[in-house]
Amino acid sequence: MENGPIPAEYLLEKLSEAKNHFERALDCKHTEFDDLYPYMIEHPQFFWYKRYVAWSELLTVVKFSMELSVEWESQFTVQQVEYIKKRVMSSKVLDDWFENTDSKEHVS
């Protein structure tokens, strides 16, 4: 069975979900990762690993978007686009991800 091309709307929806997942991880809010590994909450490295998993997911969806020529940059601030293009989750990314957003209110 052959599937058709992936619709741009589908990738944009997945991009939005991945961005939300990463931002919730940054804010130490509940994500699907918490449900998969509930025992990890007891370990100090949990939040770093949770952020890393969310960052990897975001980069993967961006990569697919780029490969399929789906415009993804409009979902992010200019600074966030630069972080994503560098592909390295550094302390700068963790500290400044929300810095240039219009609203100081983080994800709910």
Side-chain angles (χ1 to χ4, degrees), residues 2 6-7 24 29 35 45 61 71 78-79 83 100 106-107:
E2 185 178 321
I6 298 173
R24 289 185 63 80
K29 294 186 177 175
D35 298 332
Q45 74 273 19
V61 177
E71 197 289 313
V78 172
Q79 189 62 52
Y83 294 148
N100 295 324
H106 294 190
V107 294

Side-chain angles (χ1 to χ4, degrees), residues 33-71:
F33 188 80
D34 299 294
D35 298 332
L36 292 171
Y37 302 101
Y39 61 89
M40 288 289 291
I41 294 173
E42 301 168 8
H43 301 283
Q45 74 273 19
F46 170 74
F47 291 108
W48 174 255
Y49 189 68
K50 178 177 171 175
R51 291 171 180 157
Y52 173 77
V53 168
W55 179 247
S56 296
E57 176 187 8
L58 179 61
L59 292 181
T60 300
V61 177
V62 166
K63 179 182 176 185
F64 290 150
S65 298
M66 291 171 62
E67 289 175 356
L68 296 168
S69 301
V70 173
E71 197 289 313

Side-chain angles (χ1 to χ4, degrees), residues 94-108:
L94 297 175
D95 293 341
D96 297 340
W97 181 263
F98 293 108
E99 186 173 294
N100 295 324
T101 58
D102 293 336
S103 170
K104 292 295 180 187
E105 185 177 325
H106 294 190
V107 294
S108 53

